[in-house]
mmCIF file of all heavy atoms in Angstrom:
data_model
loop_
_atom_site.group_PDB
_atom_site.id
_atom_site.type_symbol
_atom_site.label_atom_id
_atom_site.label_comp_id
_atom_site.label_asym_id
_atom_site.label_seq_id
_atom_site.Cartn_x
_atom_site.Cartn_y
_atom_site.Cartn_z
ATOM 1 N N GLU A 81 -11.013 -23.927 -1.429
ATOM 2 C CA GLU A 81 -10.854 -22.972 -2.583
ATOM 3 C C GLU A 81 -9.593 -23.381 -3.311
ATOM 4 O O GLU A 81 -8.558 -23.718 -2.629
ATOM 5 C CB GLU A 81 -10.842 -21.580 -2.183
ATOM 6 C CG GLU A 81 -9.696 -21.057 -1.275
ATOM 7 C CD GLU A 81 -9.789 -21.507 0.201
ATOM 8 O OE1 GLU A 81 -10.619 -20.962 0.889
ATOM 9 O OE2 GLU A 81 -9.026 -22.377 0.543
ATOM 10 N N ARG A 82 -9.565 -23.262 -4.647
ATOM 11 C CA ARG A 82 -8.328 -23.539 -5.365
ATOM 12 C C ARG A 82 -7.371 -22.371 -5.231
ATOM 13 O O ARG A 82 -6.104 -22.505 -5.430
ATOM 14 C CB ARG A 82 -8.621 -23.576 -6.872
ATOM 15 C CG ARG A 82 -9.118 -24.955 -7.341
ATOM 16 C CD ARG A 82 -9.282 -24.884 -8.826
ATOM 17 N NE ARG A 82 -9.813 -26.125 -9.379
ATOM 18 C CZ ARG A 82 -10.156 -26.327 -10.680
ATOM 19 N NH1 ARG A 82 -9.997 -25.319 -11.554
ATOM 20 N NH2 ARG A 82 -10.469 -27.500 -11.086
ATOM 21 N N CYS A 83 -7.872 -21.215 -4.901
ATOM 22 C CA CYS A 83 -7.085 -19.958 -4.821
ATOM 23 C C CYS A 83 -5.860 -20.114 -3.886
ATOM 24 O O CYS A 83 -5.932 -20.714 -2.865
ATOM 25 C CB CYS A 83 -7.996 -18.865 -4.331
ATOM 26 S SG CYS A 83 -7.143 -17.300 -4.117
ATOM 27 N N VAL A 84 -4.691 -19.583 -4.382
ATOM 28 C CA VAL A 84 -3.498 -19.590 -3.578
ATOM 29 C C VAL A 84 -3.180 -18.204 -3.124
ATOM 30 O O VAL A 84 -2.007 -18.013 -2.710
ATOM 31 C CB VAL A 84 -2.310 -20.249 -4.387
ATOM 32 C CG1 VAL A 84 -2.555 -21.713 -4.688
ATOM 33 C CG2 VAL A 84 -2.095 -19.468 -5.725
ATOM 34 N N ALA A 85 -4.079 -17.343 -3.261
ATOM 35 C CA ALA A 85 -3.934 -15.972 -2.733
ATOM 36 C C ALA A 85 -2.697 -15.236 -3.330
ATOM 37 O O ALA A 85 -2.008 -14.536 -2.595
ATOM 38 C CB ALA A 85 -3.918 -15.908 -1.204
ATOM 39 N N CYS A 86 -2.460 -15.424 -4.614
ATOM 40 C CA CYS A 86 -1.303 -14.768 -5.259
ATOM 41 C C CYS A 86 -1.523 -13.269 -5.461
ATOM 42 O O CYS A 86 -0.600 -12.527 -5.599
ATOM 43 C CB CYS A 86 -0.966 -15.474 -6.517
ATOM 44 S SG CYS A 86 -2.198 -15.283 -7.781
ATOM 45 N N GLY A 87 -2.794 -12.885 -5.535
ATOM 46 C CA GLY A 87 -3.058 -11.471 -5.621
ATOM 47 C C GLY A 87 -3.158 -10.929 -7.109
ATOM 48 O O GLY A 87 -3.392 -9.699 -7.309
ATOM 49 N N LEU A 88 -2.888 -11.861 -8.084
ATOM 50 C CA LEU A 88 -2.892 -11.379 -9.438
ATOM 51 C C LEU A 88 -4.204 -10.791 -9.869
ATOM 52 O O LEU A 88 -4.267 -9.760 -10.610
ATOM 53 C CB LEU A 88 -2.546 -12.497 -10.374
ATOM 54 C CG LEU A 88 -0.949 -12.821 -10.541
ATOM 55 C CD1 LEU A 88 -0.815 -14.061 -11.427
ATOM 56 C CD2 LEU A 88 -0.288 -11.609 -11.156
ATOM 57 N N CYS A 89 -5.288 -11.481 -9.513
ATOM 58 C CA CYS A 89 -6.595 -11.021 -9.939
ATOM 59 C C CYS A 89 -6.875 -9.591 -9.411
ATOM 60 O O CYS A 89 -7.447 -8.759 -10.081
ATOM 61 C CB CYS A 89 -7.726 -12.011 -9.491
ATOM 62 S SG CYS A 89 -7.685 -12.371 -7.744
ATOM 63 N N ALA A 90 -6.481 -9.422 -8.086
ATOM 64 C CA ALA A 90 -6.725 -8.077 -7.545
ATOM 65 C C ALA A 90 -5.927 -7.005 -8.258
ATOM 66 O O ALA A 90 -6.352 -5.859 -8.419
ATOM 67 C CB ALA A 90 -6.314 -8.093 -6.023
ATOM 68 N N ARG A 91 -4.734 -7.406 -8.691
ATOM 69 C CA ARG A 91 -3.872 -6.512 -9.401
ATOM 70 C C ARG A 91 -4.396 -6.108 -10.789
ATOM 71 O O ARG A 91 -4.279 -5.018 -11.212
ATOM 72 C CB ARG A 91 -2.493 -7.157 -9.580
ATOM 73 C CG ARG A 91 -1.417 -6.344 -10.257
ATOM 74 C CD ARG A 91 -0.835 -5.368 -9.361
ATOM 75 N NE ARG A 91 0.290 -4.654 -10.032
ATOM 76 C CZ ARG A 91 0.674 -3.500 -9.632
ATOM 77 N NH1 ARG A 91 0.285 -2.955 -8.580
ATOM 78 N NH2 ARG A 91 1.656 -2.873 -10.268
ATOM 79 N N ALA A 92 -5.058 -7.204 -11.457
ATOM 80 C CA ALA A 92 -5.540 -6.918 -12.798
ATOM 81 C C ALA A 92 -6.941 -6.256 -12.797
ATOM 82 O O ALA A 92 -7.337 -5.774 -13.832
ATOM 83 C CB ALA A 92 -5.620 -8.277 -13.547
ATOM 84 N N CYS A 93 -7.643 -6.300 -11.733
ATOM 85 C CA CYS A 93 -9.000 -5.880 -11.710
ATOM 86 C C CYS A 93 -9.061 -4.343 -11.957
ATOM 87 O O CYS A 93 -8.590 -3.538 -11.107
ATOM 88 C CB CYS A 93 -9.594 -6.201 -10.361
ATOM 89 S SG CYS A 93 -11.282 -5.590 -10.182
ATOM 90 N N PRO A 94 -9.661 -3.892 -13.046
ATOM 91 C CA PRO A 94 -9.659 -2.455 -13.368
ATOM 92 C C PRO A 94 -10.238 -1.556 -12.250
ATOM 93 O O PRO A 94 -9.725 -0.507 -11.950
ATOM 94 C CB PRO A 94 -10.358 -2.334 -14.742
ATOM 95 C CG PRO A 94 -10.236 -3.674 -15.290
ATOM 96 C CD PRO A 94 -10.233 -4.639 -14.164
ATOM 97 N N PRO A 95 -11.483 -1.913 -11.747
ATOM 98 C CA PRO A 95 -12.060 -1.006 -10.729
ATOM 99 C C PRO A 95 -11.613 -1.346 -9.329
ATOM 100 O O PRO A 95 -12.260 -0.885 -8.404
ATOM 101 C CB PRO A 95 -13.524 -1.292 -10.925
ATOM 102 C CG PRO A 95 -13.621 -2.695 -11.437
ATOM 103 C CD PRO A 95 -12.376 -3.018 -12.112
ATOM 104 N N LEU A 96 -10.602 -2.164 -9.088
ATOM 105 C CA LEU A 96 -10.051 -2.498 -7.801
ATOM 106 C C LEU A 96 -11.258 -3.100 -6.919
ATOM 107 O O LEU A 96 -11.502 -2.575 -5.779
ATOM 108 C CB LEU A 96 -9.460 -1.334 -7.079
ATOM 109 C CG LEU A 96 -8.394 -0.544 -7.887
ATOM 110 C CD1 LEU A 96 -7.894 0.622 -7.122
ATOM 111 C CD2 LEU A 96 -7.186 -1.479 -8.149
ATOM 112 N N ALA A 97 -11.925 -4.062 -7.450
ATOM 113 C CA ALA A 97 -13.068 -4.660 -6.765
ATOM 114 C C ALA A 97 -12.647 -5.775 -5.836
ATOM 115 O O ALA A 97 -13.446 -6.123 -4.920
ATOM 116 C CB ALA A 97 -14.089 -5.133 -7.756
ATOM 117 N N ILE A 98 -11.409 -6.321 -6.000
ATOM 118 C CA ILE A 98 -11.090 -7.512 -5.272
ATOM 119 C C ILE A 98 -10.079 -7.154 -4.103
ATOM 120 O O ILE A 98 -9.156 -6.406 -4.259
ATOM 121 C CB ILE A 98 -10.370 -8.536 -6.216
ATOM 122 C CG1 ILE A 98 -11.297 -8.865 -7.326
ATOM 123 C CG2 ILE A 98 -9.955 -9.824 -5.439
ATOM 124 C CD1 ILE A 98 -10.679 -9.862 -8.345
ATOM 125 N N SER A 99 -10.334 -7.776 -2.966
ATOM 126 C CA SER A 99 -9.321 -7.674 -1.875
ATOM 127 C C SER A 99 -9.237 -8.980 -1.171
ATOM 128 O O SER A 99 -10.187 -9.745 -1.160
ATOM 129 C CB SER A 99 -9.718 -6.569 -0.862
ATOM 130 O OG SER A 99 -10.993 -6.723 -0.445
ATOM 131 N N MET A 100 -8.057 -9.320 -0.624
ATOM 132 C CA MET A 100 -7.836 -10.547 0.000
ATOM 133 C C MET A 100 -6.680 -10.471 1.011
ATOM 134 O O MET A 100 -5.853 -9.492 0.911
ATOM 135 C CB MET A 100 -7.550 -11.606 -1.068
ATOM 136 C CG MET A 100 -6.065 -11.542 -1.535
ATOM 137 S SD MET A 100 -5.842 -12.490 -3.038
ATOM 138 C CE MET A 100 -6.701 -11.560 -4.228
ATOM 139 N N GLN A 101 -6.590 -11.379 1.857
ATOM 140 C CA GLN A 101 -5.365 -11.546 2.750
ATOM 141 C C GLN A 101 -4.882 -12.956 2.671
ATOM 142 O O GLN A 101 -5.656 -13.879 2.891
ATOM 143 C CB GLN A 101 -5.828 -11.211 4.154
ATOM 144 C CG GLN A 101 -4.757 -11.313 5.181
ATOM 145 C CD GLN A 101 -3.553 -10.406 4.931
ATOM 146 O OE1 GLN A 101 -3.703 -9.242 4.790
ATOM 147 N NE2 GLN A 101 -2.364 -10.944 4.823
ATOM 148 N N ALA A 102 -3.623 -13.099 2.347
ATOM 149 C CA ALA A 102 -3.022 -14.462 2.233
ATOM 150 C C ALA A 102 -2.582 -14.939 3.555
ATOM 151 O O ALA A 102 -2.149 -14.160 4.354
ATOM 152 C CB ALA A 102 -1.839 -14.415 1.272
ATOM 153 N N GLU A 103 -2.754 -16.311 3.760
ATOM 154 C CA GLU A 103 -2.166 -16.878 4.958
ATOM 155 C C GLU A 103 -1.532 -18.223 4.566
ATOM 156 O O GLU A 103 -1.910 -18.809 3.594
ATOM 157 C CB GLU A 103 -3.277 -17.011 6.011
ATOM 158 C CG GLU A 103 -3.253 -15.868 7.033
ATOM 159 C CD GLU A 103 -4.208 -16.018 8.114
ATOM 160 O OE1 GLU A 103 -4.566 -17.190 8.494
ATOM 161 O OE2 GLU A 103 -4.697 -14.977 8.569
ATOM 162 N N GLU A 104 -0.697 -18.721 5.427
ATOM 163 C CA GLU A 104 -0.023 -19.982 5.133
ATOM 164 C C GLU A 104 -0.936 -21.093 5.541
ATOM 165 O O GLU A 104 -1.739 -20.992 6.453
ATOM 166 C CB GLU A 104 1.286 -20.108 5.877
ATOM 167 C CG GLU A 104 2.296 -19.178 5.267
ATOM 168 C CD GLU A 104 3.714 -19.375 5.943
ATOM 169 O OE1 GLU A 104 3.841 -20.307 6.777
ATOM 170 O OE2 GLU A 104 4.606 -18.583 5.530
ATOM 171 N N THR A 105 -0.787 -22.273 4.790
ATOM 172 C CA THR A 105 -1.608 -23.427 5.139
ATOM 173 C C THR A 105 -0.694 -24.695 5.089
ATOM 174 O O THR A 105 0.397 -24.632 4.393
ATOM 175 C CB THR A 105 -2.773 -23.614 4.135
ATOM 176 O OG1 THR A 105 -3.305 -24.890 4.254
ATOM 177 C CG2 THR A 105 -2.375 -23.341 2.745
ATOM 178 N N GLU A 106 -1.147 -25.748 5.693
ATOM 179 C CA GLU A 106 -0.299 -26.987 5.728
ATOM 180 C C GLU A 106 -0.548 -27.719 4.363
ATOM 181 O O GLU A 106 0.201 -28.566 4.099
ATOM 182 C CB GLU A 106 -0.782 -27.894 6.827
ATOM 183 C CG GLU A 106 -0.510 -27.340 8.229
ATOM 184 C CD GLU A 106 0.963 -27.163 8.506
ATOM 185 O OE1 GLU A 106 1.663 -28.188 8.272
ATOM 186 O OE2 GLU A 106 1.352 -26.067 9.019
ATOM 187 N N ASP A 107 -1.512 -27.292 3.629
ATOM 188 C CA ASP A 107 -1.838 -28.001 2.345
ATOM 189 C C ASP A 107 -0.671 -27.800 1.377
ATOM 190 O O ASP A 107 0.096 -26.895 1.492
ATOM 191 C CB ASP A 107 -3.133 -27.443 1.697
ATOM 192 C CG ASP A 107 -4.296 -27.676 2.624
ATOM 193 O OD1 ASP A 107 -4.165 -28.555 3.503
ATOM 194 O OD2 ASP A 107 -5.316 -26.938 2.426
ATOM 195 N N GLU A 108 -0.624 -28.652 0.357
ATOM 196 C CA GLU A 108 0.469 -28.547 -0.607
ATOM 197 C C GLU A 108 0.493 -27.175 -1.327
ATOM 198 O O GLU A 108 1.595 -26.769 -1.824
ATOM 199 C CB GLU A 108 0.370 -29.655 -1.583
ATOM 200 C CG GLU A 108 -0.691 -29.608 -2.642
ATOM 201 C CD GLU A 108 -0.928 -30.778 -3.492
ATOM 202 O OE1 GLU A 108 -0.489 -31.905 -3.088
ATOM 203 O OE2 GLU A 108 -1.394 -30.617 -4.559
ATOM 204 N N LYS A 109 -0.585 -26.507 -1.393
ATOM 205 C CA LYS A 109 -0.552 -25.182 -2.156
ATOM 206 C C LYS A 109 0.093 -24.073 -1.276
ATOM 207 O O LYS A 109 0.397 -23.070 -1.812
ATOM 208 C CB LYS A 109 -1.917 -24.769 -2.592
ATOM 209 C CG LYS A 109 -2.905 -24.514 -1.476
ATOM 210 C CD LYS A 109 -4.278 -23.992 -2.042
ATOM 211 C CE LYS A 109 -5.206 -23.674 -0.910
ATOM 212 N NZ LYS A 109 -6.545 -23.226 -1.357
ATOM 213 N N GLU A 110 0.268 -24.318 -0.029
ATOM 214 C CA GLU A 110 1.022 -23.468 0.899
ATOM 215 C C GLU A 110 0.359 -22.179 1.357
ATOM 216 O O GLU A 110 0.542 -21.659 2.404
ATOM 217 C CB GLU A 110 2.448 -23.184 0.360
ATOM 218 C CG GLU A 110 3.321 -24.427 0.271
ATOM 219 C CD GLU A 110 4.668 -24.153 -0.313
ATOM 220 O OE1 GLU A 110 5.006 -22.972 -0.591
ATOM 221 O OE2 GLU A 110 5.402 -25.145 -0.502
ATOM 222 N N ARG A 111 -0.372 -21.548 0.420
ATOM 223 C CA ARG A 111 -1.027 -20.338 0.778
ATOM 224 C C ARG A 111 -2.546 -20.322 0.432
ATOM 225 O O ARG A 111 -2.906 -21.079 -0.502
ATOM 226 C CB ARG A 111 -0.425 -19.095 0.014
ATOM 227 C CG ARG A 111 0.835 -18.577 0.596
ATOM 228 C CD ARG A 111 1.630 -17.904 -0.506
ATOM 229 N NE ARG A 111 0.855 -16.819 -1.137
ATOM 230 C CZ ARG A 111 1.086 -15.515 -0.890
ATOM 231 N NH1 ARG A 111 2.013 -15.160 -0.014
ATOM 232 N NH2 ARG A 111 0.356 -14.637 -1.493
ATOM 233 N N TYR A 112 -3.313 -19.774 1.189
ATOM 234 C CA TYR A 112 -4.748 -19.638 0.881
ATOM 235 C C TYR A 112 -5.272 -18.309 1.297
ATOM 236 O O TYR A 112 -4.568 -17.585 2.096
ATOM 237 C CB TYR A 112 -5.512 -20.780 1.601
ATOM 238 C CG TYR A 112 -5.773 -20.419 3.026
ATOM 239 C CD1 TYR A 112 -7.097 -20.101 3.441
ATOM 240 C CD2 TYR A 112 -4.785 -20.444 4.005
ATOM 241 C CE1 TYR A 112 -7.426 -19.865 4.731
ATOM 242 C CE2 TYR A 112 -5.112 -20.154 5.385
ATOM 243 C CZ TYR A 112 -6.388 -19.811 5.715
ATOM 244 O OH TYR A 112 -6.688 -19.492 6.967
ATOM 245 N N PRO A 113 -6.380 -17.837 0.784
ATOM 246 C CA PRO A 113 -6.882 -16.507 1.186
ATOM 247 C C PRO A 113 -7.723 -16.610 2.473
ATOM 248 O O PRO A 113 -8.710 -17.284 2.552
ATOM 249 C CB PRO A 113 -7.834 -16.097 0.053
ATOM 250 C CG PRO A 113 -8.213 -17.383 -0.626
ATOM 251 C CD PRO A 113 -7.199 -18.430 -0.297
ATOM 252 N N ALA A 114 -7.192 -15.986 3.533
ATOM 253 C CA ALA A 114 -7.889 -16.037 4.821
ATOM 254 C C ALA A 114 -9.224 -15.334 4.625
ATOM 255 O O ALA A 114 -10.227 -15.719 5.159
ATOM 256 C CB ALA A 114 -7.100 -15.327 5.869
ATOM 257 N N PHE A 115 -9.217 -14.241 3.907
ATOM 258 C CA PHE A 115 -10.489 -13.665 3.420
ATOM 259 C C PHE A 115 -10.332 -13.249 1.980
ATOM 260 O O PHE A 115 -9.199 -12.939 1.471
ATOM 261 C CB PHE A 115 -11.009 -12.544 4.308
ATOM 262 C CG PHE A 115 -10.311 -11.166 4.013
ATOM 263 C CD1 PHE A 115 -10.765 -10.342 2.966
ATOM 264 C CD2 PHE A 115 -9.291 -10.780 4.869
ATOM 265 C CE1 PHE A 115 -10.147 -9.075 2.809
ATOM 266 C CE2 PHE A 115 -8.675 -9.546 4.647
ATOM 267 C CZ PHE A 115 -9.056 -8.711 3.586
ATOM 268 N N PHE A 116 -11.425 -13.330 1.216
ATOM 269 C CA PHE A 116 -11.420 -12.938 -0.147
ATOM 270 C C PHE A 116 -12.731 -12.259 -0.395
ATOM 271 O O PHE A 116 -13.785 -12.787 -0.142
ATOM 272 C CB PHE A 116 -11.326 -14.177 -1.027
ATOM 273 C CG PHE A 116 -10.957 -13.943 -2.501
ATOM 274 C CD1 PHE A 116 -9.749 -14.209 -2.978
ATOM 275 C CD2 PHE A 116 -11.977 -13.338 -3.337
ATOM 276 C CE1 PHE A 116 -9.417 -13.937 -4.392
ATOM 277 C CE2 PHE A 116 -11.663 -13.056 -4.643
ATOM 278 C CZ PHE A 116 -10.420 -13.402 -5.154
ATOM 279 N N GLU A 117 -12.671 -11.012 -0.855
ATOM 280 C CA GLU A 117 -13.855 -10.224 -1.071
ATOM 281 C C GLU A 117 -13.923 -9.622 -2.490
ATOM 282 O O GLU A 117 -12.874 -9.187 -2.947
ATOM 283 C CB GLU A 117 -14.028 -9.160 -0.039
ATOM 284 C CG GLU A 117 -14.294 -9.629 1.327
ATOM 285 C CD GLU A 117 -14.321 -8.543 2.379
ATOM 286 O OE1 GLU A 117 -13.933 -7.343 2.085
ATOM 287 O OE2 GLU A 117 -14.731 -8.808 3.522
#
Side-chain angles (χ1 to χ4, degrees):
E81 68 282 290
R82 277 185 181 176
C83 177
V84 293
C86 66
L88 278 176
C89 53
R91 180 80 177 161
C93 177
L96 306 177
I98 303 177
S99 53
M100 80 194 69
Q101 176 63 52
E103 265 184 28
E104 290 186 3
T105 166
E106 298 294 312
D107 298 342
E108 70 189 27
K109 65 179 183 177
E110 294 177 4
R111 280 156 57 103
Y112 82 106
F115 79 83
F116 193 109
E117 287 177 352

